[in-house]
Amino acid sequence: MLVGDYSNFVSKVLITMNQNLYLGVEAIGQAAIDGGISGVYAYPGTPSTEITEYIQDSRQAAEKGIRSKWSANEKTAYEAALGMSYAGKRAMVCMKHVGLNVAADAFMNSAITGINGGLIITVADDPSMHSSQNEQDSRFYGKFAMIPVLEPSNQQEAYDMVHEGFVLSEELGVPVMVRITTRLAHSRAGVFRKEEAPANPLKMPVNPTQFVLLPAIARQRYKSLLEKQDAFEKKALESEHNFLKTRNEKSLGIIACGIAYNYLKENYQNDDCPYTVMKLSQYPIPATLIHEMEKHCEEVLVLEEGYPLVEEYVKGIFKKHIKVHGRLNGALPRDGELNADLVAKALGHEIEEGAAVPSIVVNRPPALCQGCGHQDMYRALNQVMDAYSKGRVFSDIGCYTLGALPPYESIYSCVDMGASVTMAKGAADAGLVPALAVIGDSTFTHSGITGLLDAVNDNSNVVIVISDNESVSMTGGQESSAKGKIESICEGVGVDPKHIRVMVPMKKYHDLMVQTFEEEIAYEGVSVLIFRRECIQAAARRLRTEKKMNLNPKA
Ligand SMILES: Cc1ncc(C[n+]2csc(CCOP(=O)(O)OP(=O)(O)O)c2C)c(N)n1
Ligand code: SF4
């Protein structure tokens, strides 16, 4: 029975009683629950965050006892998921693309150890860098680790691939990557659910030394991974998510990967594309399908979101001379997201340009919220730093990175999570005085602690500012692993307690903050200045919840 008619970004879809209108991230979360996971492990990062939030909010997941608390970083998340898999249970680990750099050591080696319970790593890439520092393409990581990668073209396929991915992982004995991109993550479509799979029992692997990567064992395991490559490719060839639709028109053939297949379909509403089309959603790339395709076309257009992975591959594999169009020859832009219009242009279609943006619409650069504690910290910092030239404050990634913009313009660098502490240390080692780092509470426990240990061990002359708003605000206010622990962590790492100073970043304490900055800059050694005030957005959310639960009637 039809109950509604909704539009999504791709096309009109009819939603029936049995369908659920899911965001891509929700489809993945639901598929993991239905697919029999015993735990999800993750560190927040757009556009992946809501997968875990969906599972955290799910009553079904709670009833099944699915573990879902946030991890301290992507590496700890990956390793915990791997541990759950080694114990025989199914697990999923989620992260944004740059998170995979943090988890890469565990990720690469897990391809060699193999798994026990099904393990899916869901990585959300962010082409066009809507909220990221780069637009790296995680399919390369999948290829690097030599494991199967699934790249859904729509929300239904995202659900199906995750549900099936656990079976695939157990059958092939390796982790399976599910790669999505921003638009798929954050757009909705109707999704049919599959039957719920029961959780696996605890079980040990047949080979008890499989997970011990001593060189002698690692060599065997690596050989076994290499031997499995043909089986992975065969699976991709047989997958219902990969197919070839041949047509008589031979002037062009199209390879459309993941969501790009949807952009192609948008250009041919009634499936009337005159060219041979190969849909690619499961990797390794099945060479047989590529060779079959080349019989049906003289030139090929490759549509893929991200780097030109398939484009480069097909250039090297075609048996006859076929001109390849894509991101490398300028048929499509070299960087940024794809969309249906870019695909239309690459196909030589006329496109209707939308109305020009009216002059009344002006760009609004992102800014810290009015009343944010990071602002008070920066006002005091800037006053002190007026005595020095710019370029002495190394920053990190979080809301406080907006201190790079006017009116503060306080910071000099922002590279990767945790880098502020270690970069300030390196600059101090080089003789830069003063060398300061600004880092948030969540980023500090993500990857700032080890850098602080290095600074303490070297007695580096640094001032580490921890701007502690007691939440992971930039990604939506998730619970911070650092809450209530920062002073004891710093002491534990070896910072002299006399140089761990805690302040409340408020206008009325401005002079005290300035004085404390000056005192600690004058100290030759490691100082940690903690500016602690709850994020006002998180506070507002907390008060609303307390009011709803009647815990704080005044709120
Ligand atoms: C490796 C990696 N993982 C996740 C992210 C996404 N991310 C950006 S900032 C941030 C944490 C910010 O929290 P915090 O340091 O406490 O600063 P706040 O935003 O609360 O001021 C996260 C998770 C990222 N950019 N890189
Ligand atoms: S969300 Fe919170 S931490 Fe971020 S700018 Fe707003 S008040 Fe500051």
Side-chain angles (χ1 to χ4, degrees):
M1 188 180 118
L2 299 177
V3 292
D5 180 2
Y6 300 82
S7 299
N8 73 355
F9 78 108
V10 173
S11 61
K12 286 226 159 188
V13 288
L14 294 175
I15 304 297
T16 70
M17 281 290 267
N18 301 328
Q19 276 181 304
N20 303 273
L21 192 61
Y22 286 143
L23 290 171
V25 277
E26 293 171 344
I28 290 171
Q30 186 60 53
I33 298 169
D34 293 345
I37 56 164
S38 295
V40 61
Y41 295 85
Y43 181 72
T46 312
S48 71
T49 312
E50 299 90 341
I51 302 171
T52 307
E53 286 180 336
Y54 180 86
I55 298 173
Q56 287 171 342
D57 293 343
S58 156
R59 190 184 298 177
Q60 185 195 358
E63 283 167 5
K64 285 172 175 254
I66 293 173
R67 177 271 166 223
S68 61
K69 214 169 147 46
W70 292 109
S71 304
N73 67 33
E74 293 86 353
K75 180 173 185 286
T76 63
Y78 196 95
E79 289 157 352
L82 190 59
M84 183 170 266
S85 158
Y86 283 2
K89 304 260 184 182
R90 290 181 176 176
M92 181 161 76
V93 52
C94 313
M95 61 196 67
K96 68 182 291 164
H97 57 330
V98 286
L100 189 48
N101 299 331
V102 177
D105 199 5
F107 169 71
M108 292 299 296
N109 291 324
S110 69
I112 297 180
T113 64
I115 52 91
N116 188 9
L119 176 63
I120 288 187
I121 163 172
T122 301
V123 194
D125 291 357
D126 187 19
S128 284
M129 303 179 230
H130 296 285
S131 35
S132 307
Q133 60 271 45
N134 76 28
E135 60 172 33
Q136 69 189 51
D137 183 333
S138 299
R139 293 175 304 165
F140 277 88
Y141 261 121
K143 189 167 153 50
F144 192 21
M146 293 186 268
I147 59 166
V149 176
L150 309 177
E151 191 187 14
S153 64
N154 59 31
Q155 287 71 6
Q156 181 67 62
E157 217 171 30
Y159 178 93
D160 294 344
M161 286 184 145
V162 170
H163 201 285
E164 295 158 14
F166 292 107
V167 180
L168 187 69
S169 167
E170 285 168 6
E171 210 179 308
L172 300 176
V174 287
V176 167
M177 177 190 287
V178 173
R179 184 246 186 177
I180 56 166
T181 52
T182 311
R183 298 288 154 182
L184 185 93
H186 289 165
S187 56
R188 288 187 189 276
V191 172
F192 289 103
R193 281 173 58 188
K194 289 176 184 282
E195 229 169 80
E196 283 180 51
N200 285 352
L202 276 176
K203 61 179 164 76
M204 291 302 120
V206 180
N207 172 1
T209 62
Q210 177 184 339
F211 305 137
V212 186
L213 288 188
L214 281 167
I217 301 172
R219 274 180 225 118
Q220 286 169 10
R221 296 294 315 161
Y222 182 50
K223 275 197 174 40
S224 142
L225 178 66
L226 293 174
E227 281 158 12
K228 284 179 181 174
Q229 295 304 305
D230 287 347
F232 296 174
E233 197 173 321
K234 188 162 177 279
K235 277 278 174 200
L237 180 66
E238 290 165 356
S239 165
E240 60 175 321
H241 305 292
N242 289 344
F243 54 75
L244 187 67
K245 262 192 202 166
T246 56
R247 292 281 189 270
N248 291 334
E249 172 58 56
K250 290 210 161 187
S251 59
L252 187 70
I254 301 169
I255 301 176
C257 312
I259 196 171
Y261 181 68
N262 241 338
Y263 296 143
L264 177 68
K265 276 175 72 180
E266 254 195 282
N267 277 282
Y268 297 102
Q269 294 291 333
N270 301 314
D271 200 19
D272 55 1
C273 177
Y275 310 115
T276 290
V277 173
M278 174 178 157
K279 174 178 179 289
L280 182 58
S281 279
Q282 180 165 337
Y283 304 76
I285 304 167
T288 314
L289 217 53
I290 303 275
H291 290 311
E292 186 54 34
M293 172 168 200
E294 76 181 304
K295 293 180 195 156
H296 298 273
C297 51
E298 283 143 21
E299 299 191 1
V300 163
L301 171 65
V302 182
L303 306 173
E304 55 193 323
E305 186 86 295
Y307 293 0
L309 178 136
V310 176
E311 195 177 338
E312 279 177 353
Y313 173 88
V314 294
K315 277 185 171 181
I317 194 177
F318 280 143
K319 288 182 181 149
K320 60 180 190 183
H321 178 73
I322 288 189
K323 187 160 186 209
V324 180
H325 305 272
R327 289 189 182 269
L328 290 174
N329 81 335
L332 291 159
R334 183 66 179 78
D335 61 340
E337 281 185 296
L338 289 186
N339 58 43
D341 281 355
L342 289 171
V343 170
K345 273 189 196 160
L347 289 163
H349 296 176
E350 290 276 313
I351 56 164
E352 262 179 55
E353 297 292 348
V357 179
S359 57
I360 196 168
V361 180
V362 287
N363 263 342
R364 282 191 308 167
L368 291 166
C369 304
Q370 280 313 315
C372 171
H374 295 322
Q375 292 179 318
D376 295 287
M377 180 275 291
Y378 277 130
R379 281 190 203 107
L381 176 64
N382 277 4
Q383 184 174 327
V384 175
M385 294 305 285
D386 273 351
Y388 309 93
S389 59
K390 288 196 172 188
R392 285 145 204 266
V393 180
F394 296 86
S395 178
D396 230 293
I397 307 187
C399 283
Y400 47 88
T401 315
L402 295 171
L405 304 177
Y408 304 103
E409 297 177 308
S410 311
I411 62 171
Y412 176 53
S413 69
C414 162
V415 181
D416 63 279
M417 290 190 75
S420 61
V421 177
T422 25
M423 292 176 86
K425 182 213 179 304
D429 293 347
L432 185 87
V433 181
L436 289 94
V438 172
I439 188 167
D441 48 306
S442 175
T443 305
F444 177 65
T445 44
H446 177 283
S447 48
I449 300 173
T450 42
L452 183 62
L453 180 62
D454 278 353
V456 167
N457 287 346
D458 251 0
N459 194 29
S460 303
N461 188 11
V462 289
V463 176
I464 310 298
V465 175
I466 303 181
S467 200
D468 177 11
N469 55 17
E470 301 185 308
S471 82
V472 195
S473 295
M474 193 165 211
T475 47
Q478 293 76 24
E479 200 179 314
S480 168
S481 308
K483 197 161 176 179
K485 302 187 178 76
I486 295 180
E487 288 91 316
S488 48
I489 291 173
C490 294
E491 268 195 59
V493 162
V495 180
D496 180 345
K498 289 201 290 298
H499 295 281
I500 301 174
R501 313 275 297 265
V502 184
M503 284 151 284
V504 180
M506 291 178 86
K507 211 172 177 183
K508 61 183 175 183
Y509 301 123
H510 178 81
D511 291 345
L512 177 67
M513 290 189 282
V514 169
Q515 187 192 331
T516 312
F517 263 125
E518 282 168 346
E519 285 169 10
E520 295 304 327
I521 285 174
Y523 169 66
E524 285 194 22
V526 179
S527 308
V528 175
L529 308 190
I530 302 165
F531 293 82
R532 178 169 299 130
R533 177 152 71 79
E534 188 179 12
C535 159
I536 55 174
Q537 302 295 349
R541 271 193 302 273
R542 180 176 53 73
L543 291 175
R544 277 197 297 274
T545 314
E546 284 175 2
K547 192 173 176 190
K548 227 193 255 168
M549 296 170 74
N550 219 7
L551 293 174
N552 180 358
K554 281 196 209 135

